Amino acid sequence: KRIKEIETLISSADIEAIEPLFQELVLIRTIPDMQVKTAEHYHRTLEMLCGFIQESRRNLEALLSSLFRKDPSVNFEKLATYITSMKGTKWIEAFRPGIYLEALKDIEDQINQYVTNLTQSLKDVNLGLEHIDQIPKSYQIISDIKAMQCLSKVIPNLSAFVTEAENWFTSTIN
C-alpha cells in the first residue's frame, strides 16, 4: 500500500511528501526477513526517485539552456520551483550519495556564473556622455539581472550579484 502511495506522489512530483513514506519502508526493512521481502519494492522505489531527480535536472537544464540563449520567455518562477523541488530531494542523498548534491551544485554554479557574466558585460559597456546610445543596452542587462531576483529565494548568494550590478549601474550613471 505504501509503495503505491509513493508511486502516486512521485507521479505528482510531491517529493517532500514521499520522505516519511520512504523512511517507513526503510524502517520496515530493519525487521528480520523483511529486507528480502521488500528488496524489490525498495530498489524500484529508489530508482523511481532517482529517475524523478534526473528528470527534474533535465527540466532545469532545458530552462537554463533557454536562459543562456537569451530566450526572453524564460520563466524564472518555474525555474525557482524546479530548484525548490530539487532541494526537497536532499534526503535521498542518504540512500543514493551524489545524486542530489552534484546536480544542484552544478545548477547553482551555472546560474551564478551566468549572472556574473551579465554583470561583467554590463561593466564593459561604456556609459560616458559620448556613448549615450549604450544606456538602453545597459538597461536591458540590468532588467535581465533583476528578472532573476526571484531566484535569490532558492540561491541565496544570487542577491549579492544582483545588488552589485544595480549599485555599479547607479554609481556609473550618477
Side-chain angles (χ1 to χ4, degrees), residues 61-167:
E61 287 174 347
L63 278 173
L64 288 175
S65 179
S66 296
L67 175 67
F68 299 151
R69 286 192 318 268
K70 302 204 186 292
D71 183 342
S73 66
V74 173
N75 184 337
F76 292 108
E77 291 295 329
K78 192 174 202 177
L79 188 58
T81 300
Y82 281 139
I83 293 170
T84 300
S85 180
M86 285 288 289
K87 286 187 175 205
T89 65
K90 186 174 184 172
W91 60 270
I92 295 172
E93 189 73 15
F95 305 99
R96 186 63 59 90
I99 188 118
Y100 163 81
L101 290 176
E102 69 183 42
L104 195 58
K105 173 122 176 61
D106 185 44
I107 288 162
E108 288 181 356
D109 287 348
Q110 287 180 47
I111 292 171
N112 284 330
Q113 185 60 50
Y114 179 72
V115 174
T116 300
N117 292 346
L118 278 177
T119 302
Q120 188 56 51
S121 68
L122 175 66
K123 291 177 178 179
D124 290 343
V125 175
N126 186 344
L127 293 175
L129 287 176
E130 64 277 359
H131 298 284
I132 200 159
D133 60 317
Q134 295 294 308
I135 290 178
K137 178 181 178 182
S138 298
Y139 180 77
Q140 182 59 50
I141 295 170
I142 284 288
S143 295
D144 292 347
I145 292 171
K146 284 187 70 96
M148 298 179 73
Q149 185 70 34
C150 67
L151 296 176
S152 64
K153 297 173 196 161
V154 292
I155 304 175
N157 59 341
L158 191 65
S159 60
F161 292 114
V162 173
T163 302
E164 176 190 350
E166 289 175 326
N167 289 343

Side-chain angles (χ1 to χ4, degrees), residues 22-86:
F22 193 78
Q23 294 293 353
E24 278 183 38
L25 179 59
V26 170
L27 286 174
I28 290 169
R29 290 176 48 81
T30 62
I31 300 170
D33 296 333
M34 291 306 289
Q35 187 169 9
V36 173
K37 291 178 182 178
T38 59
E40 181 182 341
H41 294 298
Y42 171 80
H43 291 290
R44 185 179 72 215
T45 303
L46 190 56
E47 287 307 311
M48 287 172 56
L49 289 168
C50 292
F52 173 82
I53 292 171
Q54 293 301 330
E55 181 181 339
S56 294
R57 183 177 181 169
R58 282 190 296 273
N59 291 338
L60 270 167
E61 287 174 347
L63 278 173
L64 288 175
S65 179
S66 296
L67 175 67
F68 299 151
R69 286 192 318 268
K70 302 204 186 292
D71 183 342
S73 66
V74 173
N75 184 337
F76 292 108
E77 291 295 329
K78 192 174 202 177
L79 188 58
T81 300
Y82 281 139
I83 293 170
T84 300
S85 180
M86 285 288 289

